[in-house]
């Protein structure tokens, strides 16, 4: 039987604190779901940043987090869908789209999409 590690999530948007004892090697997002405490997600593949958090203490093993640059990881961001805990960890939820804009904002941005070539009038 694998050891379990306490993971605490400060859910800032909903003003609540969640915690679960998650088996070593199990994805944190999945562990919270198994404990009946679902957290935000979308792709579940470490690519979209919907599950991003800031690590307040401890460490996450997130070698599969393709959607998070090494620089953002060094700044303390993590993706819970592909993160594993090997000790106690405390995180807090991100501001809406915070990590998406840091990671992809320069490339994709947000807002209106305009046609590069004007459409012909009928
Ligand atoms: S749900 Fe998409 S990166 Fe985690």
């Amino acid at each position: 039987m694998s050891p379990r590690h306490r993971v605490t999530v400060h859910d800032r948007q909903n003003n609540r604190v969640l915690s679960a004892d998650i088996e070593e090697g199990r994805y944190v997002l999945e562990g919270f779901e198994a404990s009946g405490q679902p957290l935000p997600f979308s792709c579940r593949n470490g690519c979209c940043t919907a599950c991003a958090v800031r690590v307040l203490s401890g460490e996450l093993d997130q070698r599969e987090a393709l959607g998070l640059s090494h620089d953002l990881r060094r700044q303390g961001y993590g993706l819970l869908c592909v993160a594993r805990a090997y000790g106690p960890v405390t995180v807090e939820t991100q501001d809406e789209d915070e990590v998406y804009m840091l990671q992809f904002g320069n490339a994709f941005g947000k807002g209106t999409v305009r046609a590069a070539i004007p459409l012909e009038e009928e």
Side-chain angles (χ1 to χ4, degrees), residues 14-117:
N14 297 301
N15 198 28
R16 62 185 181 159
V17 178
L18 309 173
S19 63
D21 295 322
I22 298 176
E23 300 120 44
E24 193 168 281
R26 188 173 201 178
Y27 292 135
V28 172
L29 181 72
E30 196 180 86
F32 270 88
E33 289 168 343
S35 75
Q37 303 174 93
L39 294 166
F41 71 91
S42 184
C43 73
R44 303 179 77 92
N45 283 325
C47 295
C48 74
T49 73
C51 65
V53 293
R54 275 188 291 267
V55 179
L56 300 177
S57 67
E59 270 184 56
L60 292 172
D61 178 337
Q62 50 180 347
R63 64 190 75 183
E64 299 154 53
L66 300 174
L68 203 57
S69 69
H70 289 284
D71 190 40
L72 288 177
R73 293 182 208 193
R74 275 192 294 275
Q75 290 177 43
Y77 290 101
L79 300 177
L80 294 185
C81 69
V82 291
R84 297 177 172 100
Y86 289 91
V89 182
T90 301
V91 303
E92 68 177 4
T93 53
Q94 61 170 329
D95 294 328
E96 185 179 351
D97 292 338
E98 175 183 343
V99 177
Y100 180 87
M101 290 309 290
L102 289 169
Q103 179 67 42
F104 303 116
N106 289 340
F108 301 113
K110 281 192 144 189
T112 309
V113 176
R114 294 189 185 161
I117 302 169

